[in-house]
Amino acid sequence: MGLLVLAVGLAVAVLASLRFGSVALSTEAALGALLDFDGSSEHLIVRRMRLPRTMIGLGAGASLAVAGAIMQAATRNPLAGPGILGVNAGAAVAVVTTVHVAGAVTPRSSVWVALAGALTAALLVYVIGAAGRSGATPIKLALAGLVTTALLESWTSAALVLDRRTLDQVRFWLAGSLAGGEPELLWQVAPLMLAGIVLALLLARQLNALALGDDVARALGQRTGSVRVACLGVVVLLAGSAVAVAGPIAFVGLAVPHIARVLTGPDYRWVQAYAVVLGPTLLLAADVLGRVVARPSELQVGIVTALLGAPFLVALARRRSLPSV
């Protein structure tokens, strides 16, 4: 019943994404463009601009939300997420560096560049966070992620300040946006996103064991190291694909798993399923809000999620039950 209600909410968000923008359309025009295309200007706006944007929001939102849930379970860290632990920043700095050095990056190659950057950043954060006798504790991983993110963002800022050509090419994408995405890129990352979500759902039982602690997981016969390596691969696949197509969007991967746990409890089989629906709903709603509040211009969705997510992060950090996930 809960998933059905959330699916209705997602359908409403999709319809709003097709309707609202610099030119507001009726519900009939939005649906008519999908079901009975007649070549009118209203239908062309929906088909060529808003439908690709909505599809990108569906894929990126689900990918970031599921990646965040995996990271929180695998690290037992409620502050974990692609944006907090440096994965988004790693993908972004790889793309920016490639543009800075090579002059440009094609849509096809940008996916693999982003995935390589995400993997490198994730490994770096884990190595730093696992140093010392206590190993990879939640606090150490969070601090390692924040430091790594700060360093990567500093490099990105330096590249943009020193090279105006790079700034002109990536500044819109770097703020996090669903608009202007290449359809070719969307179709390239869609299989990667779908594969990542399926693998994440298959890992749900192992995540439930990991969330109980390594000792309990090993007592249940689980190879914790192998499971974490699999989780890392899925997170890189999901977060890297999302960043490649929509830029580094913050807080979706952090907030959605917490909202899902409030609705479902701690069982990651349900948390993952709810995240698949809640993630795109939240991202599309933020995108529509950015179009409405700044008409006839618009705020990029990465700015809106950052504005909405900052108070959420402060409230989360003040909770006494922070260490539990």
Side-chain angles (χ1 to χ4, degrees), residues 51-61 177-178 181-182 186 245-246 283:
L51 183 59
R53 183 172 185 164
T54 303
M55 297 299 291
I56 290 173
L58 289 171
S177 174
L178 305 183
E182 297 283 347
L186 174 61
V245 74
L283 192 57

Side-chain angles (χ1 to χ4, degrees), residues 3 6 66 201 260 268-278:
L3 269 177
L6 292 180
V66 173
L201 294 175
Y268 274 89
R269 291 172 297 181
W270 288 107
V271 171
Q272 301 273 40
Y274 274 58
V276 172
V277 182
L278 282 169

Side-chain angles (χ1 to χ4, degrees), residues 228-240:
R228 284 203 166 89
V229 170
C231 290
L232 175 64
V234 175
V235 166
V236 168
L237 195 63
L238 291 171

Side-chain angles (χ1 to χ4, degrees), residues 204-217:
R205 289 183 181 274
Q206 286 80 3
L207 293 177
N208 281 337
L210 275 183
L212 297 174
D214 283 14
D215 292 339
V216 175

Side-chain angles (χ1 to χ4, degrees), residues 92-101 152-176 248:
V93 78
V95 173
V96 170
T97 302
T98 303
V99 172
H100 177 64
V101 173
L152 294 175
E153 290 180 345
S154 297
W155 166 254
T156 300
S157 299
L160 298 180
V161 169
L162 297 174
D163 187 352
R164 186 173 182 80
R165 175 183 53 79
T166 302
L167 174 64
D168 291 340
Q169 289 191 39
V170 303
R171 61 183 174 184
F172 191 70
W173 169 84
L174 201 56

